[in-house]
Each structure stands twice: as C-alpha cells, then as structure tokens.
Amino acid sequence: MKTKLGLLYGGKSAEHKVSLQTALAVINALDHEKFEIHPIFIMETGEWIKGPLLDGPVETVAALQFSRGEALPPTALAPTLFQAENKNESFDIIFPLLHGPNGEDGTVQGLLELLNLPYVGNGVLASSAGMDKVIMKNIFAQAGLPQVNYVWFIRSEWEQDNNSAYEKVEAEIGYPCFVKPANLGSSVGISKCSNREELVEAFKEAFQFDRKIIIEEGVIAREVELGVLGNDNPECSVTGEIIPKVEFYDYKAKYEDGDTALVIPAEITKDEYELLYGLAIKAFKSLDCSGLVRADFFLTKDGKAYINEVNTMPGFTPFSMFPLLWKHTGVEYPQLIERLVKLGMERYEEKQ
Ligand code: ATP
Ligand code: MG
Ligand code: MG
Ligand code: MG
C-alpha cells in the first residue's frame, strides 16, 4: 500500500516562491512506488486548490500552480480539501512545505491538529514560537542560550513616537545593527544599518512586512548552521558555513545570485563543533521542536557562539543548506524526506 501524502505548498507569505521550488524538488525526489502524492497549492491570495494526483516527476514550477477555477473561499475549502468520502480515502500524512507566516508559523499545523491528521515537521507551539523572532529569543534567553542584544517595537508604538524608538536602538544596541520583521524568513525585509538615516529607512522597510520588528546588535562572525533531526531524541548533522559575497546573506544572495559559498562541513575545531551541537539541541528542546529545525549560529574569531535563530521549516530544495548538511552526514535527500514522514507519524501515534 502506498503512503497517501498530501503536499501543501505555495502559501500566503512573502516566501511563496521559495516554497514552490521546494515542492518541485520534493515531488521529484519522492519514490512514486512508495508514495501517492496529492498536491495542494495555496495561492498567494490564500485560496487552496487541490491539484491532480501525481504519479511521476513534474517538469516546472508553473505546472504546480493550478488555476483558481476550482477554488472556493479558503475558509470553506481548507477543511473540505482534507475530507474524504470514507476513512480509507483520507491522507496518511500531510507535508506542509510552507515557509513564513501562514504555514511555518503554526496556523496550518493547528488546522491539521483539528483535522486529526498526521503531518511532517514541527507542531503548533514550536512553529509559532519559532516564527516570531522576539518570542523565540525570549525563550532562548530563558534557556540560557547565548545571543546578541535585541530590542523590539510594534508599529503603533513607533508611529506614536518614532524618535524615541530610534534613540532606544542607539542607546541599547548601537551600530551596526540589523532591523528585521519579527515574523518572516529568507531575509525578506531585513536591513543592516550603520547610521540614523539607514535606521529610519530600515524601520519603514521592516514595518511593511510585519506589525512587529526586532533590532539586533550586528556581530562580526562566521555564520555556521546545523541541521537537527528527530523528536524526543534529536540528532545534529555536520556543520555548514555560509560565506556570502555581499554585506550579509540577503534574499538575493539566498535565491538569485548563487555565488554565496556553502562550505560543508565548516572548518571549525572539534570543541567548536561540540559547543554548537549542544546549543542546537538545547534550542530544539527549548521550543519543544519535533521533526526538524535548522539552527543558525554566529561564531566569532575567539570561539564564542551566539544563536541567531532556528527555522522550523528551513529551505528544502536539494541545494538548500538543510538537505546538504544531512547529505554530508550520510542521509540522502529521498531518505531525509522519508525519515521526516516517519517522525511525523511517530509523533502522531505518540499523542493518540
Ligand atoms: P532564513 O532564511 O534563515 O529564515 P531570516 O529571514 O530568518 O532568514 P536571519 O537569519 O535572521 O533572517 O538573518 C539573515 C541574515 O542576516 C543572516 O544569515 C546574516 O547574514 C545576517 N544577520 C542577521 N542578524 C545578524 C546579526 N545580528 N549580526 C550579523 N549578521 C546578521
Ligand atoms: Mg529564519
Ligand atoms: Mg526561514
Ligand atoms: Mg537565517
């Protein structure tokens, strides 16, 4: 019997396009003898569309963007899409291949919980806490994880008195600093600032994507990442280092230029690896993660590590960091997907 896998992708998020790339890669990597793949496309407008059953590879991303002809309003459609005429027709598992808000943030996970369907990756709590950089950092601080200083604002606070906001950043954080939307990924809306003028622009930019923003101390450090895989007993991959050719690892460097170097494994000492390994597991557990995360660190010259963030649904094409890290650890892309499916099933069964 094939595993009936519902693949959810696209999404109402600034990371919609990234998700499409990932879906294409996952569909083509899955063993079609083992899996029956049911694509479910979420348009940028939030409409959900069920595509035709896939029994082989797909050529292009465009082929995954079904027309809105069949679409119903999302509230009506989302649950009905998962409803089966009889129990045997229901999905065995859902793979939410969604990045950013409305997908990586616990919303879709909550829907799947209500529908009592097993799904791949993090649950509601870890997804939502991991999506909001302020909440995530507060939890990390409580767990004693080392991180850079940060402050945060909501839009209305800034609109009321923007000068005080800038002054607070200058007093508590200083330059250079990074201004980020609290709930996003792929570096969308992020700016590095070296003076007041840039700070003002960065606030405006980040507030276009979120009602809440975070400002962090900029560190001069190497960027080293680890993949974490598992449920209650997670394991880490080897490390990978990102060496962007530009100021920082921005959206363009991630998805358009392709001349950012990924060095796997990163050239770090055994002590540094052990340090990062321990911190990554601690971060995973502090958010009560399950399935997977990619833990991103800053590593300074003198061997100090700061956690930057975890991503509860990291970039997942075969050329993305997370799958590459596991490949170098001995888990090939198709096996990685199967392992995630298994972990999703196990978590579901444990809760029953
Ligand atoms: P992802 O695609 O990994 O989800 P994101 O949108 O969540 O990314 P961050 O990882 O927080 O964004 O930041 C993007 C990049 O900006 C980092 O990879 C790094 O290059 C740079 N950066 C972010 N914060 C800092 C900081 N405090 N100091 C130095 N560089 C930083
Ligand atoms: Mg992120
Ligand atoms: Mg992300
Ligand atoms: Mg990141």
Side-chain angles (χ1 to χ4, degrees), residues 132-135 137-138 147-154 157-158 162-182 199 203 206-207 211-218:
D132 184 311
K133 291 185 192 295
V134 177
I135 301 294
K137 282 182 183 283
N138 290 348
Q147 29 184 6
V148 299
N149 290 327
Y150 59 96
V151 293
W152 57 279
F153 301 94
I154 53 171
E157 204 181 345
W158 167 69
N162 46 46
N163 219 38
S164 298
Y166 305 141
E167 276 166 13
K168 185 173 177 187
V169 171
E170 286 168 350
E172 294 182 26
I173 306 297
Y175 298 112
C177 64
F178 280 79
V179 178
K180 312 176 178 180
L199 188 68
F203 264 65
F207 274 130
R211 60 175 272 285
K212 185 174 177 186
I213 66 169
I214 183 168
I215 298 93
E216 302 171 14
E217 225 175 84

Side-chain angles (χ1 to χ4, degrees), residues 4-5 35-39 50-56 66 91:
K4 265 185 102 166
L5 183 135
F35 292 94
E36 190 180 298
I37 305 166
H38 297 257
K50 199 172 183 172
L53 188 65
L54 296 173
D55 53 8
F66 313 108
F91 294 105

Side-chain angles (χ1 to χ4, degrees), residues 133 180 184-187 190 223 225 242 249 254 294-298 308-311:
K133 291 185 192 295
K180 312 176 178 180
L184 210 59
S186 294
S187 300
I190 298 184
E223 280 190 70
E225 307 188 337
I242 292 156
Y249 197 29
K254 280 178 185 172
R294 197 191 70 224
D296 299 356
F297 295 93
F298 298 123
N308 172 26
E309 62 160 349
V310 296
N311 285 283

Side-chain angles (χ1 to χ4, degrees), residues 329-349:
T329 312
V331 187
E332 293 290 335
Y333 193 61
Q335 281 73 53
L336 180 63
I337 299 169
E338 286 184 28
R339 183 122 166 232
L340 286 170
V341 168
K342 196 160 165 265
L343 287 167
M345 296 280 199
E346 281 170 11
R347 184 196 43 200
Y348 176 83
E349 276 150 25

Side-chain angles (χ1 to χ4, degrees), residues 10-20 99-101 104 131 184-188 251 255:
K12 197 179 162 189
S13 142
E15 294 185 272
H16 179 93
K17 287 201 183 89
V18 179
S19 169
L20 283 169
H99 306 293
E104 191 181 351
M131 190 77 262
L184 210 59
S186 294
S187 300
V188 174
Y251 185 90
Y255 303 107

